[in-house]
Every structure is written in structure tokens, then in C-alpha cells.
Amino acid sequence: MVYKLTSILALAASLAFTANAQRQIQGLTYTGNTGKPHTTSNLPKNALALAPVSDMKSKAFACRTNGFNFPEVKSYSATGGEMFIVTWDKEASALATNGKGPITGPCNYWLASTAAGTDNLKWFRIGERGYSETDGWCTDFIKKAGQDVVSMPDDLPAGDYIFRAEVIDLTFAGKTYGDDPTMGPQFYPDCIKYTVTGGKNQKAPTEGLVAIADAYQATDKGLLLNLTAEGKPPGGKYTVPGPALHNQRKN
């Protein structure tokens, strides 16, 4: 079983995860400026539903797709600064395996404006969940909770965006993919499209923007490491890879 964003029933952002919640990595829930909960799920039509991506230079690395052919869906009003609930499949995640053991690693959350189209998207990182002694890895956290919460920037101009939620499996991260195509971190990115209609009309971010193919280097410390026998990072410390967080937000 792998990580995938799919549709869910609307859940109020204020409600805690319960055992009765939907059990698949599902979508993005937010209240919008109407105060009503909305769930958006509009994966690209050609999303690669099963396989992780190992080649960080491949076209599929952005969203596990070969393009950005999103279906036409109703857009809900979302204002900057809201707390978005990324809902994951609690049951499937707990059973997720990569052939060697459970998927183990951090999560990164990204945004890209589509104001100039989708041919050369520039991404900025808005959230992360790495490793802590209390919660373990992000993958441990979502296995227990089934969801994660991300603060959307409060300085976004109105417009269309792609939200990218990414799980990074470090089980085989002792070597780079370039040195050994059977090794290297495995990425589980999924994307959904949403519209900010209540933006502050500020300029789009200009710092920390990267083409997704340049988001990481194969030798980044957070991507090239040997987990301990217990699945912990060496020395119990870990830094999530990627450019600086927008406004330095961190989960």
C-alpha cells in the first residue's frame, strides 16, 4: 500500500481525527471564508497511483504524474493563514510497506502558483514534519493520527495554486539513486489544485522558489543516511531537506 491523495467527505477543520474517519490519504480540508468546511480533492487525471518516484529529475517527480491535467472542479474560497488538514489513510498507512519494512521518513508541504501556467512551476515550501523523540517520524505520526495540519501562508495573493504533499521514505537512503538505481530515498508526492479568492493581493513569493527538479540534491544530509536498526536517524537528530520554509513555518 502506498500514500495517495483521494476524495473525502467534508470534515470540519476543528474536529479531531476519529476512528470513523475515511481511511485513505484523501485530500485537503479547510473552512474558507464562509465558515463552512470544504474538502477539495482534484488529483491530476493521470496520477500514478501506485509507485513512488526515485528519480528526482523525472517529470513525474512533481506530482507522480506526467503532466498537470487537473479535472475541472468547483473552487472554494480559501483565505491565507488558514489551517489546512491533510487527511491520510490511517489504516493503509499503518500497513504501508516498501518490500523491506514500513515506509519511514519525513513529510514536506509545498505550494506553487499557476498564474503563469504549469510549464515551469516554481515551488516554495510551507511546512514540514521530520523526526522527534516524542512522535517519531512524520510517517509514524500520520499512522497514528491519520492526518497532519499545515498553516497556509497569510500573504498569498488571490489566484490558483497547486498544493503538494510529499512523504519521503528513507529506508533505502544509504546510497543515492544515481549510484544504485535500486537504492535512494523514495518519494510519494501528491498534488491537488485549489483557489485562493480571499487573498491580500500581495505579490507572490519571490524568495525560496525552486523548480521541483532542483528542490533537493542527492547528497543532502536529510536524503543520504543510514537509519539505525530501530529506524531512527543517526544520533537521533534529523533536518528535513529542502529550501527554507516560507515565513519559517514548521510543524
Side-chain angles (χ1 to χ4, degrees):
M1 188 66 65
V2 297
Y3 294 97
K4 179 189 175 185
L5 285 165
T6 59
S7 62
I8 62 171
L9 300 175
L11 297 174
S14 61
L15 295 180
F17 179 84
T18 68
N20 293 324
Q22 298 291 314
R23 293 183 178 273
Q24 194 163 11
I25 293 185
Q26 296 162 330
L28 195 64
T29 300
Y30 58 98
T31 54
N33 59 18
T34 64
K36 297 180 180 179
H38 301 297
T39 295
T40 177
S41 179
N42 44 356
L43 287 163
K45 294 179 180 178
N46 55 351
L48 307 178
L50 299 177
V53 180
S54 297
D55 184 357
M56 293 184 285
K57 302 301 181 183
S58 72
K59 190 173 183 179
F61 184 61
C63 300
R64 275 196 287 182
T65 70
N66 292 317
F68 296 98
N69 183 21
F70 287 92
E72 293 298 324
V73 297
K74 181 179 179 180
S75 295
Y76 294 104
S77 175
T79 57
E82 289 184 295
M83 304 297 288
F84 277 26
I85 299 176
V86 184
T87 308
W88 309 83
D89 186 330
K90 181 180 178 185
E91 185 173 81
S93 298
L95 299 175
T97 179
N98 50 33
K100 183 178 180 181
I103 292 172
T104 302
C107 302
N108 261 329
Y109 302 104
W110 305 76
L111 281 180
S113 170
T114 61
T118 58
D119 289 340
N120 296 290
L121 288 175
K122 298 297 184 182
W123 299 82
F124 54 102
R125 203 163 63 100
I126 63 169
E128 66 179 37
R129 189 177 294 278
Y131 176 86
S132 72
E133 288 293 337
T134 302
D135 295 322
W137 291 102
C138 176
T139 48
D140 299 316
F141 182 85
I142 60 177
K143 286 170 191 174
K144 296 174 184 177
Q147 62 185 17
D148 202 357
V149 179
V150 183
S151 295
M152 289 295 156
D154 60 5
D155 57 354
L156 294 177
D160 293 329
Y161 294 83
I162 295 177
F163 173 79
R164 180 178 186 266
E166 174 187 52
V167 172
I168 306 174
D169 182 17
L170 299 175
T171 304
F172 304 99
K175 292 183 180 180
T176 69
Y177 172 79
D179 289 336
D180 184 347
T182 68
M183 297 289 286
Q186 295 182 328
F187 299 85
Y188 294 84
D190 288 295
C191 299
I192 58 177
K193 183 179 178 182
Y194 79 100
T195 301
V196 172
T197 59
K200 293 183 177 180
N201 294 321
Q202 297 186 15
K203 292 182 179 180
T206 58
E207 297 182 1
L209 300 179
V210 294
I212 203 64
D214 300 324
Y216 307 117
Q217 298 298 317
T219 54
D220 286 347
K221 291 182 178 179
L223 296 178
L224 181 60
L225 70 162
N226 287 298
L227 301 181
T228 68
E230 295 79 22
K232 298 181 179 182
K237 304 291 184 180
Y238 181 77
T239 300
V240 179
L245 289 168
H246 181 70
N247 291 344
Q248 292 300 305
R249 283 189 170 84
K250 184 182 296 185
N251 288 332

mmCIF file of all heavy atoms in Angstrom, residues 117-149:
data_model
loop_
_atom_site.group_PDB
_atom_site.id
_atom_site.type_symbol
_atom_site.label_atom_id
_atom_site.label_comp_id
_atom_site.label_asym_id
_atom_site.label_seq_id
_atom_site.Cartn_x
_atom_site.Cartn_y
_atom_site.Cartn_z
ATOM 1 N N GLY A 117 0.891 29.664 -15.693
ATOM 2 C CA GLY A 117 0.769 28.351 -16.315
ATOM 3 C C GLY A 117 1.485 27.289 -15.495
ATOM 4 O O GLY A 117 1.992 27.549 -14.403
ATOM 5 N N THR A 118 1.530 26.082 -16.033
ATOM 6 C CA THR A 118 2.116 24.963 -15.298
ATOM 7 C C THR A 118 3.374 24.406 -15.960
ATOM 8 O O THR A 118 3.897 23.377 -15.528
ATOM 9 C CB THR A 118 1.084 23.828 -15.151
ATOM 10 O OG1 THR A 118 0.648 23.409 -16.456
ATOM 11 C CG2 THR A 118 -0.117 24.284 -14.334
ATOM 12 N N ASP A 119 3.856 25.076 -17.005
ATOM 13 C CA ASP A 119 5.025 24.537 -17.710
ATOM 14 C C ASP A 119 6.307 24.658 -16.890
ATOM 15 O O ASP A 119 7.161 23.776 -16.928
ATOM 16 C CB ASP A 119 5.211 25.248 -19.059
ATOM 17 C CG ASP A 119 4.146 24.865 -20.069
ATOM 18 O OD1 ASP A 119 3.517 23.809 -19.873
ATOM 19 O OD2 ASP A 119 3.932 25.628 -21.024
ATOM 20 N N ASN A 120 6.450 25.744 -16.162
ATOM 21 C CA ASN A 120 7.681 25.971 -15.395
ATOM 22 C C ASN A 120 7.330 26.433 -13.983
ATOM 23 O O ASN A 120 7.668 27.539 -13.564
ATOM 24 C CB ASN A 120 8.556 27.020 -16.092
ATOM 25 C CG ASN A 120 9.038 26.557 -17.458
ATOM 26 O OD1 ASN A 120 9.860 25.656 -17.565
ATOM 27 N ND2 ASN A 120 8.505 27.179 -18.498
ATOM 28 N N LEU A 121 6.666 25.560 -13.271
ATOM 29 C CA LEU A 121 6.217 25.908 -11.930
ATOM 30 C C LEU A 121 7.402 26.178 -11.005
ATOM 31 O O LEU A 121 8.414 25.479 -11.047
ATOM 32 C CB LEU A 121 5.372 24.782 -11.344
ATOM 33 C CG LEU A 121 3.976 24.583 -11.936
ATOM 34 C CD1 LEU A 121 3.330 23.352 -11.341
ATOM 35 C CD2 LEU A 121 3.111 25.814 -11.712
ATOM 36 N N LYS A 122 7.237 27.176 -10.163
ATOM 37 C CA LYS A 122 8.204 27.466 -9.116
ATOM 38 C C LYS A 122 7.538 27.204 -7.768
ATOM 39 O O LYS A 122 6.481 27.752 -7.459
ATOM 40 C CB LYS A 122 8.673 28.924 -9.203
ATOM 41 C CG LYS A 122 9.393 29.256 -10.503
ATOM 42 C CD LYS A 122 10.680 28.436 -10.653
ATOM 43 C CE LYS A 122 11.432 28.845 -11.913
ATOM 44 N NZ LYS A 122 12.657 28.030 -12.111
ATOM 45 N N TRP A 123 8.172 26.368 -6.978
ATOM 46 C CA TRP A 123 7.587 25.888 -5.739
ATOM 47 C C TRP A 123 8.247 26.555 -4.538
ATOM 48 O O TRP A 123 9.425 26.880 -4.556
ATOM 49 C CB TRP A 123 7.765 24.375 -5.625
ATOM 50 C CG TRP A 123 7.114 23.587 -6.717
ATOM 51 C CD1 TRP A 123 7.617 23.337 -7.966
ATOM 52 C CD2 TRP A 123 5.836 22.958 -6.678
ATOM 53 N NE1 TRP A 123 6.739 22.585 -8.699
ATOM 54 C CE2 TRP A 123 5.635 22.332 -7.931
ATOM 55 C CE3 TRP A 123 4.849 22.847 -5.700
ATOM 56 C CZ2 TRP A 123 4.477 21.616 -8.220
ATOM 57 C CZ3 TRP A 123 3.697 22.136 -5.987
ATOM 58 C CH2 TRP A 123 3.521 21.530 -7.243
ATOM 59 N N PHE A 124 7.464 26.724 -3.472
ATOM 60 C CA PHE A 124 8.015 27.154 -2.199
ATOM 61 C C PHE A 124 7.459 26.257 -1.097
ATOM 62 O O PHE A 124 6.328 25.792 -1.156
ATOM 63 C CB PHE A 124 7.743 28.641 -1.921
ATOM 64 C CG PHE A 124 6.302 29.066 -2.001
ATOM 65 C CD1 PHE A 124 5.558 29.261 -0.845
ATOM 66 C CD2 PHE A 124 5.697 29.317 -3.226
ATOM 67 C CE1 PHE A 124 4.237 29.678 -0.905
ATOM 68 C CE2 PHE A 124 4.377 29.745 -3.303
ATOM 69 C CZ PHE A 124 3.642 29.914 -2.133
ATOM 70 N N ARG A 125 8.301 26.016 -0.106
ATOM 71 C CA ARG A 125 7.985 25.040 0.935
ATOM 72 C C ARG A 125 7.287 25.760 2.088
ATOM 73 O O ARG A 125 7.773 26.754 2.599
ATOM 74 C CB ARG A 125 9.285 24.385 1.405
ATOM 75 C CG ARG A 125 9.126 23.027 2.054
ATOM 76 C CD ARG A 125 10.470 22.301 2.108
ATOM 77 N NE ARG A 125 11.440 23.012 2.920
ATOM 78 C CZ ARG A 125 11.755 22.707 4.173
ATOM 79 N NH1 ARG A 125 11.154 21.686 4.774
ATOM 80 N NH2 ARG A 125 12.674 23.379 4.837
ATOM 81 N N ILE A 126 6.123 25.247 2.483
ATOM 82 C CA ILE A 126 5.334 25.925 3.505
ATOM 83 C C ILE A 126 5.231 25.142 4.815
ATOM 84 O O ILE A 126 4.741 25.678 5.811
ATOM 85 C CB ILE A 126 3.911 26.240 2.992
ATOM 86 C CG1 ILE A 126 3.161 24.947 2.668
ATOM 87 C CG2 ILE A 126 3.976 27.161 1.785
ATOM 88 C CD1 ILE A 126 1.684 25.160 2.425
ATOM 89 N N GLY A 127 5.653 23.902 4.834
ATOM 90 C CA GLY A 127 5.546 23.126 6.061
ATOM 91 C C GLY A 127 6.361 21.863 5.995
ATOM 92 O O GLY A 127 6.747 21.393 4.920
ATOM 93 N N GLU A 128 6.623 21.300 7.160
ATOM 94 C CA GLU A 128 7.391 20.062 7.237
ATOM 95 C C GLU A 128 7.050 19.344 8.539
ATOM 96 O O GLU A 128 6.564 19.947 9.498
ATOM 97 C CB GLU A 128 8.893 20.352 7.209
ATOM 98 C CG GLU A 128 9.383 21.115 8.430
ATOM 99 C CD GLU A 128 10.878 21.388 8.414
ATOM 100 O OE1 GLU A 128 11.425 21.653 7.323
ATOM 101 O OE2 GLU A 128 11.492 21.359 9.496
ATOM 102 N N ARG A 129 7.258 18.081 8.544
ATOM 103 C CA ARG A 129 7.258 17.293 9.776
ATOM 104 C C ARG A 129 8.355 16.258 9.623
ATOM 105 O O ARG A 129 8.323 15.437 8.719
ATOM 106 C CB ARG A 129 5.915 16.613 10.051
ATOM 107 C CG ARG A 129 5.873 15.973 11.445
ATOM 108 C CD ARG A 129 4.510 15.354 11.743
ATOM 109 N NE ARG A 129 3.459 16.342 11.838
ATOM 110 C CZ ARG A 129 3.199 17.073 12.923
ATOM 111 N NH1 ARG A 129 3.942 16.934 14.015
ATOM 112 N NH2 ARG A 129 2.207 17.936 12.917
ATOM 113 N N GLY A 130 9.345 16.334 10.494
ATOM 114 C CA GLY A 130 10.509 15.466 10.372
ATOM 115 C C GLY A 130 10.507 14.346 11.380
ATOM 116 O O GLY A 130 9.680 13.428 11.318
ATOM 117 N N TYR A 131 11.431 14.422 12.345
ATOM 118 C CA TYR A 131 11.570 13.383 13.364
ATOM 119 C C TYR A 131 11.664 14.033 14.734
ATOM 120 O O TYR A 131 12.326 15.062 14.900
ATOM 121 C CB TYR A 131 12.828 12.546 13.121
ATOM 122 C CG TYR A 131 13.067 11.503 14.207
ATOM 123 C CD1 TYR A 131 12.455 10.261 14.128
ATOM 124 C CD2 TYR A 131 13.870 11.792 15.310
ATOM 125 C CE1 TYR A 131 12.639 9.311 15.139
ATOM 126 C CE2 TYR A 131 14.069 10.852 16.311
ATOM 127 C CZ TYR A 131 13.446 9.619 16.222
ATOM 128 O OH TYR A 131 13.623 8.698 17.227
ATOM 129 N N SER A 132 10.994 13.443 15.703
ATOM 130 C CA SER A 132 11.136 13.859 17.092
ATOM 131 C C SER A 132 11.077 12.617 17.971
ATOM 132 O O SER A 132 10.501 11.594 17.591
ATOM 133 C CB SER A 132 10.030 14.840 17.497
ATOM 134 O OG SER A 132 8.776 14.180 17.620
ATOM 135 N N GLU A 133 11.676 12.714 19.142
ATOM 136 C CA GLU A 133 11.646 11.584 20.071
ATOM 137 C C GLU A 133 10.226 11.299 20.525
ATOM 138 O O GLU A 133 9.878 10.166 20.848
ATOM 139 C CB GLU A 133 12.542 11.883 21.277
ATOM 140 C CG GLU A 133 14.035 11.832 20.974
ATOM 141 C CD GLU A 133 14.513 10.425 20.620
ATOM 142 O OE1 GLU A 133 13.843 9.448 21.015
ATOM 143 O OE2 GLU A 133 15.545 10.298 19.938
ATOM 144 N N THR A 134 9.395 12.321 20.545
ATOM 145 C CA THR A 134 8.020 12.150 21.015
ATOM 146 C C THR A 134 7.140 11.449 19.987
ATOM 147 O O THR A 134 6.461 10.456 20.307
ATOM 148 C CB THR A 134 7.397 13.518 21.353
ATOM 149 O OG1 THR A 134 8.186 14.163 22.342
ATOM 150 C CG2 THR A 134 5.974 13.340 21.865
ATOM 151 N N ASP A 135 7.163 11.940 18.755
ATOM 152 C CA ASP A 135 6.252 11.430 17.725
ATOM 153 C C ASP A 135 6.906 10.497 16.728
ATOM 154 O O ASP A 135 6.224 9.882 15.913
ATOM 155 C CB ASP A 135 5.637 12.598 16.949
ATOM 156 C CG ASP A 135 4.756 13.468 17.832
ATOM 157 O OD1 ASP A 135 4.052 12.914 18.692
ATOM 158 O OD2 ASP A 135 4.782 14.699 17.656
ATOM 159 N N GLY A 136 8.243 10.379 16.773
ATOM 160 C CA GLY A 136 8.930 9.601 15.761
ATOM 161 C C GLY A 136 8.951 10.368 14.446
ATOM 162 O O GLY A 136 8.999 11.593 14.417
ATOM 163 N N TRP A 137 8.888 9.640 13.344
ATOM 164 C CA TRP A 137 8.876 10.247 12.021
ATOM 165 C C TRP A 137 7.490 10.786 11.680
ATOM 166 O O TRP A 137 6.493 10.419 12.316
ATOM 167 C CB TRP A 137 9.285 9.217 10.970
ATOM 168 C CG TRP A 137 10.715 8.801 11.040
ATOM 169 C CD1 TRP A 137 11.209 7.650 11.576
ATOM 170 C CD2 TRP A 137 11.850 9.540 10.545
ATOM 171 N NE1 TRP A 137 12.583 7.621 11.447
ATOM 172 C CE2 TRP A 137 13.007 8.770 10.820
ATOM 173 C CE3 TRP A 137 11.992 10.773 9.907
ATOM 174 C CZ2 TRP A 137 14.274 9.191 10.475
ATOM 175 C CZ3 TRP A 137 13.269 11.202 9.556
ATOM 176 C CH2 TRP A 137 14.393 10.419 9.827
ATOM 177 N N CYS A 138 7.434 11.591 10.640
ATOM 178 C CA CYS A 138 6.138 12.026 10.128
ATOM 179 C C CYS A 138 5.270 10.816 9.782
ATOM 180 O O CYS A 138 4.064 10.812 10.041
ATOM 181 C CB CYS A 138 6.329 12.909 8.896
ATOM 182 S SG CYS A 138 4.778 13.415 8.108
ATOM 183 N N THR A 139 5.885 9.794 9.205
ATOM 184 C CA THR A 139 5.118 8.605 8.842
ATOM 185 C C THR A 139 4.537 7.923 10.079
ATOM 186 O O THR A 139 3.435 7.381 10.035
ATOM 187 C CB THR A 139 5.997 7.615 8.064
ATOM 188 O OG1 THR A 139 7.248 7.442 8.752
ATOM 189 C CG2 THR A 139 6.273 8.113 6.659
ATOM 190 N N ASP A 140 5.249 7.961 11.205
ATOM 191 C CA ASP A 140 4.708 7.422 12.451
ATOM 192 C C ASP A 140 3.525 8.260 12.926
ATOM 193 O O ASP A 140 2.506 7.730 13.387
ATOM 194 C CB ASP A 140 5.789 7.404 13.542
ATOM 195 C CG ASP A 140 6.974 6.527 13.185
ATOM 196 O OD1 ASP A 140 6.748 5.412 12.685
ATOM 197 O OD2 ASP A 140 8.119 6.962 13.402
ATOM 198 N N PHE A 141 3.682 9.576 12.803
ATOM 199 C CA PHE A 141 2.638 10.491 13.249
ATOM 200 C C PHE A 141 1.342 10.267 12.484
ATOM 201 O O PHE A 141 0.261 10.184 13.069
ATOM 202 C CB PHE A 141 3.128 11.932 13.069
ATOM 203 C CG PHE A 141 2.152 12.968 13.537
ATOM 204 C CD1 PHE A 141 2.108 13.350 14.866
ATOM 205 C CD2 PHE A 141 1.278 13.576 12.639
ATOM 206 C CE1 PHE A 141 1.199 14.316 15.305
ATOM 207 C CE2 PHE A 141 0.371 14.531 13.068
ATOM 208 C CZ PHE A 141 0.332 14.901 14.408
ATOM 209 N N ILE A 142 1.431 10.171 11.150
ATOM 210 C CA ILE A 142 0.202 10.029 10.374
ATOM 211 C C ILE A 142 -0.380 8.625 10.476
ATOM 212 O O ILE A 142 -1.575 8.432 10.275
ATOM 213 C CB ILE A 142 0.401 10.449 8.905
ATOM 214 C CG1 ILE A 142 1.465 9.612 8.217
ATOM 215 C CG2 ILE A 142 0.727 11.920 8.811
ATOM 216 C CD1 ILE A 142 1.641 9.954 6.747
ATOM 217 N N LYS A 143 0.450 7.639 10.806
ATOM 218 C CA LYS A 143 -0.101 6.306 11.061
ATOM 219 C C LYS A 143 -1.013 6.338 12.285
ATOM 220 O O LYS A 143 -2.023 5.637 12.336
ATOM 221 C CB LYS A 143 1.023 5.308 11.279
ATOM 222 C CG LYS A 143 1.780 4.911 10.018
ATOM 223 C CD LYS A 143 3.020 4.107 10.362
ATOM 224 C CE LYS A 143 3.922 3.948 9.146
ATOM 225 N NZ LYS A 143 5.199 3.280 9.488
ATOM 226 N N LYS A 144 -0.643 7.159 13.265
ATOM 227 C CA LYS A 144 -1.440 7.256 14.486
ATOM 228 C C LYS A 144 -2.634 8.201 14.303
ATOM 229 O O LYS A 144 -3.748 7.902 14.707
ATOM 230 C CB LYS A 144 -0.564 7.752 15.634
ATOM 231 C CG LYS A 144 0.555 6.803 16.015
ATOM 232 C CD LYS A 144 1.466 7.438 17.061
ATOM 233 C CE LYS A 144 2.647 6.545 17.395
ATOM 234 N NZ LYS A 144 3.584 7.185 18.362
ATOM 235 N N ALA A 145 -2.377 9.358 13.706
ATOM 236 C CA ALA A 145 -3.404 10.392 13.642
ATOM 237 C C ALA A 145 -4.242 10.339 12.376
ATOM 238 O O ALA A 145 -5.384 10.784 12.365
ATOM 239 C CB ALA A 145 -2.756 11.774 13.759
ATOM 240 N N GLY A 146 -3.645 9.852 11.288
ATOM 241 C CA GLY A 146 -4.369 9.814 10.025
ATOM 242 C C GLY A 146 -4.382 11.140 9.291
ATOM 243 O O GLY A 146 -4.950 11.231 8.209
ATOM 244 N N GLN A 147 -3.771 12.171 9.869
ATOM 245 C CA GLN A 147 -3.806 13.482 9.245
ATOM 246 C C GLN A 147 -2.676 14.344 9.792
ATOM 247 O O GLN A 147 -2.053 14.025 10.798
ATOM 248 C CB GLN A 147 -5.136 14.172 9.510
ATOM 249 C CG GLN A 147 -5.396 14.429 10.986
ATOM 250 C CD GLN A 147 -6.786 15.002 11.237
ATOM 251 O OE1 GLN A 147 -7.662 14.916 10.383
ATOM 252 N NE2 GLN A 147 -6.992 15.579 12.397
ATOM 253 N N ASP A 148 -2.418 15.428 9.090
ATOM 254 C CA ASP A 148 -1.463 16.419 9.544
ATOM 255 C C ASP A 148 -2.087 17.792 9.290
ATOM 256 O O ASP A 148 -3.006 17.925 8.482
ATOM 257 C CB ASP A 148 -0.137 16.278 8.792
ATOM 258 C CG ASP A 148 1.035 16.884 9.541
ATOM 259 O OD1 ASP A 148 0.828 17.465 10.628
ATOM 260 O OD2 ASP A 148 2.170 16.777 9.045
ATOM 261 N N VAL A 149 -1.614 18.797 9.974
ATOM 262 C CA VAL A 149 -2.155 20.138 9.860
ATOM 263 C C VAL A 149 -1.067 21.070 9.351
ATOM 264 O O VAL A 149 0.057 21.058 9.856
ATOM 265 C CB VAL A 149 -2.697 20.639 11.204
ATOM 266 C CG1 VAL A 149 -3.227 22.068 11.067
ATOM 267 C CG2 VAL A 149 -3.797 19.730 11.714
#
